[in-house]
Amino acid sequence: MSPSADAAAPASTSGPTLAPLIAAQLNYLLSHSKLPFQVWFPSIPPLPRLTLPLPSHGVRLQVEQIWSGCRNDRYADRFTLAIPFCLDYVHWDFLYNALYPKVAPDVVFGPDDEGFQPLVDYAEAGNGDKSCLSHWNCRDPGGLLALVEELRDLYIEYQKKRVGEVDDARLAFELSTVLSKEGIEVCMVPPTDKPDEVKFAVPLLDLDYAKLVQGCPWRSPQKIHLQVIFPISRRVNTIPSAPRLKLMSTPDLKSLFSVEDVKLPPWLNGMCLAEYLPSLEENLKVQIVEASASIGSRRRFIEALGLSFGRPLEADPIFCRRATVLCISGVFTFLVHFAIPLQFPKQQPVLVLQSSQHCNVKGIPIMSPPINDYPWSPRWDPAEMVERIYDFLTDECQNFKKFCSDAITQQK
Amino acid sequence: MAVGDSAIPAVAKVSISGAALAALLHRCAAAVGDCDGLLFGRASRLPAPPPPLSDYDDAAAVPPPPALSISVSGHCSLSHPSSLSDALGRFQPPSAPPASATVGFFSSRRRTALRPSMREIAVARSVSKSLAPHHPLLFLLVSPSFNPNHSTHSYDYRAFLLSGPRLVPASLTVVNVGPCFRDQYHTFTAESPLPWLPSPQPSTPAASGHTRTTIGEQKAVDAMVDGFGLERLQGVIGSAAGQAGEMDGMYAGMLKRLEKLAREVEKSNLRVLEQVVFPASAVHTSQCCSCLFCLLDISLELASDVILHG
């Protein structure tokens, strides 16, 4: 929760710089965390010697806010982290003390997590020495990462325990059969003592995508999760209704395989999750293998482009989703951008023409609307596909030239 | 009884005097970073209100718990964050606090949410375990903040009482001087070093057991009255106010004690005088050293010494 809700004068992210020792720990956390979800994060104020990886390279945690707790406001020493949990985020405030760097940080959990008391549990079990806080070293850059991972693991266990206390026979059965699955996370919606629903985040298919895709650029492991939301029935002796199911994947995976296109198998009456998962995983595996095979057909299409259009100016060499070629018709020069869909060759590439000679008022080259209504058959071989597109463009370029000239005339 | 086990009474009144709160807020504002410390005061169970007259027996079977009043009168703190505990929230006070006067602890952290943090909950549990007060432990969370140009300072605070595993928010009354706060004075009970003396019951043979006193109690009485036995004092308290003779005896004892003290003071004064005056007058052994002229002579001589050597 942000301090603005309870305290006056919230600090903006453009405030004081983070104290060096704390910045080192936060930087290490952002670059080394292996948490299973990936998000965009807002710009962080200039931090001393803090180089943040590009968002496309996988920052999995979100730094929401950085502010200072010092009287003179010189150094920032507290921040809110959005930590991925159960396909959503929990927001925890981490409170350091810039002027007393040796003091270990403290954490304020969300308003609904009153019952989550990890240090009390340590004290009761007498195993506090296991915690990274017991041997806290402020000069160790990995301290914060260890703390976040430790607290997140404890939080997952805490939520499992809470869900286990919900009085619902179907849920109790599901938990007893599925909870042992590695990496599963559960939580209650809303997170009160009497929830309406219980959400499961079940990781599916532990596939090594680097083997499926040649030259795979992903540094972090990619995951597909099945989100299952079980409604809690308040009445006894009613047939439990089917849960709401949704597939979710890490964003990088979208360039290879889109989970939105997967048709989920139907949930039959009286079914349980342990029954449902194997068939879904089997189905999904076949589709992912097909998706990786379709890279090959896209690659062959791009290679065939060279025969008619000449060597492409640009092409996506790994997933083969994009290519750009240069065309000349008389004195009219233009680019053709090919956006090749995942369902290629069932779906035809989308073409966008871009003039090299006409610019709009802002100096941006004039582009055509996306074109995908040209003749197409998935049964043609790549060379014929390219040839047909070439023939189509021979006529179409005249229309595009006129479109560009009209646009220029309208500007005048 | 550990606090964690005691439920918060239905009416738990937490109060702090205006001056104590001002001092606490000043401490929080003056600290360069965060700080924490112990809260002192007293907790008392207010007498239960008279039971309502009812025709039904079962209503009287469950009497409401007596209301609890916790009043904070002061604090102590090091200007340092996490001074009460280690990183895991285990209570480690800098010096052993008086368990009877400690009603709780406070924590100040700038510009943070007014919710107990991970460590504060652990400290609350640990403090209540080690001090074992007879009331729910009080936790006061202060969050000072200011606007960018420091022209406005705000102090948000919230009180919590430890109830079972959780810290439950409680309302905090600030007590000031004035007729509105007269209740506060009525709840005042004096503390005295005189031992507790139950009134004797001469009719029962067990009464002799009460008169058997410990050496500590007798010493406490001797510190005020010499030679006045505990039995006699008990007799005074227990009987009606008419025992003037006994009272006279007690006052005579007090006077005797005062006289003894006066003598001691006189003697010690003389000893001090001897130490100051006699070494200086050693050279004038032939003269009488107590008469005024001689003393004047000595002081003149000392003054001339100072002038010569200076």
Side-chain angles (χ1 to χ4, degrees), chain B residues 123-209:
Chain B
V123 173
R125 297 282 293 267
S126 173
V127 170
S128 80
K129 204 182 256 179
S130 66
L131 298 183
H134 296 286
H135 58 83
L137 192 82
L138 173 69
F139 169 54
L140 196 61
L141 179 57
V142 187
S143 174
S145 57
F146 42 80
N147 66 346
N149 62 2
H150 290 232
S151 63
T152 312
H153 290 247
S154 316
Y155 299 91
D156 297 316
Y157 59 87
R158 191 175 285 171
F160 297 87
L161 289 172
L162 187 69
S163 161
R166 295 190 179 193
L167 282 168
V168 180
S171 67
L172 180 68
T173 319
V174 181
V175 180
N176 283 310
V177 180
C180 302
F181 302 100
R182 197 154 284 161
D183 285 352
Q184 197 67 23
Y185 299 105
H186 294 158
T187 58
F188 176 76
T189 48
E191 271 185 12
S192 162
L194 266 182
W196 169 244
L197 300 168
S199 55
Q201 295 169 325
S203 57
T204 56
S208 59

Side-chain angles (χ1 to χ4, degrees), chain A residues 40-51:
Chain A
W40 168 88
F41 71 97
S43 62
I44 291 183
L47 307 175
R49 286 177 290 146
L50 178 57
T51 51

Side-chain angles (χ1 to χ4, degrees), chain A residues 1-39:
Chain A
M1 184 177 146
S2 67
S4 58
D6 285 332
S12 65
T13 48
S14 59
T17 54
L18 212 55
L21 284 175
I22 305 168
Q25 294 195 11
L26 186 59
N27 181 26
Y28 189 91
L29 169 78
L30 293 175
S31 54
H32 287 76
S33 166
K34 293 221 184 309
L35 292 179
F37 217 63
Q38 190 172 0
V39 293

Side-chain angles (χ1 to χ4, degrees), chain A residues 223-379:
Chain A
K223 285 266 179 251
I224 299 178
H225 281 86
L226 179 67
Q227 176 184 285
V228 190
I229 298 177
F230 287 106
I232 304 287
S233 55
R234 297 261 177 257
R235 283 174 296 173
V236 193
N237 296 332
T238 51
I239 299 165
S241 53
R244 297 205 305 281
L245 303 163
K246 191 183 175 191
L247 278 179
M248 296 177 96
S249 75
T250 41
D252 277 351
L253 203 58
K254 282 180 183 135
S255 49
L256 170 70
F257 178 71
S258 167
V259 288
E260 279 94 34
D261 299 336
V262 177
K263 194 166 177 290
L264 286 168
W267 181 279
L268 307 173
N269 264 348
M271 209 174 192
C272 73
L273 206 52
E275 261 179 296
Y276 185 80
L277 288 179
S279 63
L280 173 66
E281 282 193 316
E282 198 62 36
N283 184 358
L284 211 57
K285 196 172 178 181
V286 170
Q287 294 193 42
I288 289 173
V289 171
E290 270 177 17
S292 62
S294 87
I295 294 178
S297 59
R298 292 199 293 265
R299 190 186 303 278
R300 282 192 293 282
F301 173 76
I302 291 177
E303 282 165 1
L305 284 176
L307 300 174
S308 307
F309 290 93
R311 204 176 170 77
L313 291 183
E314 270 183 6
D316 165 13
I318 294 159
F319 302 106
C320 305
R321 297 286 307 277
R322 298 188 174 276
T324 302
V325 293
L326 182 70
C327 300
I328 298 166
S329 160
V331 289
F332 181 49
T333 315
F334 60 97
L335 299 172
V336 184
H337 301 290
F338 291 83
I340 312 170
L342 286 170
Q343 283 78 24
F344 184 88
K346 280 181 209 158
Q347 282 179 17
Q348 65 207 87
V350 178
L351 311 181
V352 175
L353 310 187
Q354 177 186 331
S355 170
S356 305
Q357 295 164 344
H358 304 82
C359 291
N360 63 10
V361 189
K362 292 175 187 166
I364 299 168
I366 296 175
M367 294 172 97
S368 74
I371 306 166
N372 59 354
D373 53 352
Y374 54 88
W376 181 261
S377 165
R379 282 180 291 279

Side-chain angles (χ1 to χ4, degrees), chain A residues 1 3 6-7 9 11 67-71 73 78 95 97 100 104-107 109 114 117 119-120 124 128 133, chain B residues 29-30 32 34 79-82 87-88 109-115 117-119 121-122 125 145-146 150 156 165-166:
Chain A
M1 184 177 146
D6 285 332
W67 72 98
S68 169
C70 305
R71 192 175 53 181
D73 232 0
R78 36 204 68 183
L95 313 178
N97 277 280
Y100 302 93
D106 199 1
V107 187
F109 301 116
E114 260 188 354
Q117 303 173 347
L119 296 187
V120 174
E124 279 173 0
L133 285 174
Chain B
V32 281
D34 298 343
S79 181
H80 187 273
S82 200
L88 284 169
R109 37 187 166 83
R110 277 203 180 81
R111 308 206 295 192
T112 50
L114 278 180
R115 288 193 301 275
S117 73
M118 169 178 84
R119 193 182 295 145
I121 295 174
R125 297 282 293 267
S145 57
F146 42 80
H150 290 232
D156 297 316
R166 295 190 179 193

Side-chain angles (χ1 to χ4, degrees), chain B residues 42-268:
Chain B
R42 52 183 299 122
S44 53
R45 296 206 179 257
L46 303 175
L53 296 172
S54 166
D55 292 339
Y56 303 102
D57 287 345
D58 53 342
V62 195
L68 175 77
S69 162
I70 300 176
S71 68
V72 180
S73 54
H75 73 274
C76 84
S77 109
L78 297 175
S79 181
H80 187 273
S82 200
S83 64
L84 292 178
S85 70
D86 62 359
L88 284 169
R90 290 176 290 206
F91 182 47
Q92 287 177 344
S95 61
S100 60
T102 309
V103 290
F105 70 105
F106 75 93
S107 172
S108 156
R109 37 187 166 83
R110 277 203 180 81
R111 308 206 295 192
T112 50
L114 278 180
R115 288 193 301 275
S117 73
M118 169 178 84
R119 193 182 295 145
E120 284 154 2
I121 295 174
V123 173
R125 297 282 293 267
S126 173
V127 170
S128 80
K129 204 182 256 179
S130 66
L131 298 183
H134 296 286
H135 58 83
L137 192 82
L138 173 69
F139 169 54
L140 196 61
L141 179 57
V142 187
S143 174
S145 57
F146 42 80
N147 66 346
N149 62 2
H150 290 232
S151 63
T152 312
H153 290 247
S154 316
Y155 299 91
D156 297 316
Y157 59 87
R158 191 175 285 171
F160 297 87
L161 289 172
L162 187 69
S163 161
R166 295 190 179 193
L167 282 168
V168 180
S171 67
L172 180 68
T173 319
V174 181
V175 180
N176 283 310
V177 180
C180 302
F181 302 100
R182 197 154 284 161
D183 285 352
Q184 197 67 23
Y185 299 105
H186 294 158
T187 58
F188 176 76
T189 48
E191 271 185 12
S192 162
L194 266 182
W196 169 244
L197 300 168
S199 55
Q201 295 169 325
S203 57
T204 56
S208 59
H210 286 298
T211 55
R212 217 175 288 137
T213 53
T214 62
I215 296 169
E217 286 172 339
Q218 185 60 55
K219 269 187 183 170
V221 177
D222 281 347
M224 282 173 279
V225 189
D226 262 343
F228 197 84
L230 262 181
E231 292 83 359
R232 283 176 71 191
L233 190 61
Q234 209 161 7
V236 174
I237 293 166
S239 64
Q243 301 193 2
E246 289 290 309
M247 292 296 273
D248 282 348
M250 191 175 83
Y251 286 129
M254 285 179 163
L255 282 174
K256 209 195 283 172
R257 167 87 183 154
L258 272 180
E259 203 178 335
K260 194 176 147 199
L261 277 174
R263 288 234 176 80
E264 272 178 18
V265 170
E266 198 183 344
K267 268 183 208 161
S268 61

